[in-house]
Amino acid sequence: MNRLVIRPLQFDDFPKWLPLWDGNNLGNRDEAVTAETWNRLCDPQNTQVNGLCAFMNDRITGIVHYILHPTTGSIQPVCYMQDVYIDPNYRRKGIGKRLVNEVTEIGKREKWTRMYWLTQFGNVEAKSMYENFGVKLDFTLYVLPIS
């Protein structure tokens, strides 16, 4: 069956999720970070770190993780959409768009203030998709590693 289903990640999805996680991280796996990320994604008590998957043909073909957090200027939370990754064998089939749309629909239901994400400057495919969703702001991102 070729029907694409978008659903929350489930604890037993780990072996199907892991190859996409590795692909998203360019094969640089930190075992402790991977384990903690998976625990956060699957912890039913956690309401901040969430994940969805695109499921088709008994495999996960795409993932999105998103983080809810408070912000100044609004009572409702904002969403940082992180780790959108599609299996290279399933790209250009609308899966990324479906995942982003699902996160957006969740945000509408839960009345988030806004959703935001970062994209690498040279990631032309992702930028092309995202231009259909959001408004590109002209900011420069700075990162200060603390530990």
Side-chain angles (χ1 to χ4, degrees), residues 4-54:
L4 183 71
V5 175
I6 306 293
R7 64 167 174 76
L9 286 164
Q10 300 167 358
F11 188 75
D12 60 350
D13 287 332
F14 183 80
K16 295 177 181 178
W17 167 86
L18 189 58
L20 281 80
W21 170 251
D22 285 344
N24 183 65
N25 293 303
L26 305 174
N28 299 314
R29 183 191 310 170
D30 179 310
E31 295 297 340
V33 171
T34 299
E36 183 59 27
T37 297
W38 187 249
N39 287 335
R40 289 174 182 169
L41 288 166
C42 293
D43 180 354
Q45 302 302 313
N46 171 44
T47 59
Q48 293 178 311
V49 180
N50 302 275
L52 301 175
C53 66

Side-chain angles (χ1 to χ4, degrees), residues 14-132:
F14 183 80
K16 295 177 181 178
W17 167 86
L18 189 58
L20 281 80
W21 170 251
D22 285 344
N24 183 65
N25 293 303
L26 305 174
N28 299 314
R29 183 191 310 170
D30 179 310
E31 295 297 340
V33 171
T34 299
E36 183 59 27
T37 297
W38 187 249
N39 287 335
R40 289 174 182 169
L41 288 166
C42 293
D43 180 354
Q45 302 302 313
N46 171 44
T47 59
Q48 293 178 311
V49 180
N50 302 275
L52 301 175
C53 66
F55 197 82
M56 184 170 53
N57 299 332
D58 196 37
R59 67 183 298 170
I60 293 177
T61 59
I63 58 173
V64 61
H65 305 143
Y66 60 97
I67 301 165
L68 301 177
H69 63 87
T71 188
T72 59
S74 177
I75 294 171
Q76 295 301 111
V78 298
C79 173
Y80 172 52
M81 185 174 64
Q82 185 175 14
D83 300 331
V84 178
Y85 185 80
I86 309 304
D87 179 322
N89 296 317
Y90 288 86
R91 291 183 182 164
R92 297 192 174 275
K93 299 182 185 310
I95 296 171
K97 183 177 180 181
R98 291 269 312 269
L99 285 166
V100 174
N101 279 332
E102 185 61 27
V103 175
T104 303
E105 289 303 312
I106 293 167
K108 288 177 182 176
R109 284 195 305 274
E110 296 181 2
K111 300 185 180 350
W112 303 338
T113 297
R114 67 181 169 270
M115 187 165 93
Y116 68 100
W117 57 92
L118 301 171
T119 305
Q120 287 181 316
F121 183 77
N123 191 340
V124 176
E125 288 182 4
K127 287 170 56 175
S128 175
M129 179 184 76
Y130 292 143
E131 287 172 359
N132 295 310

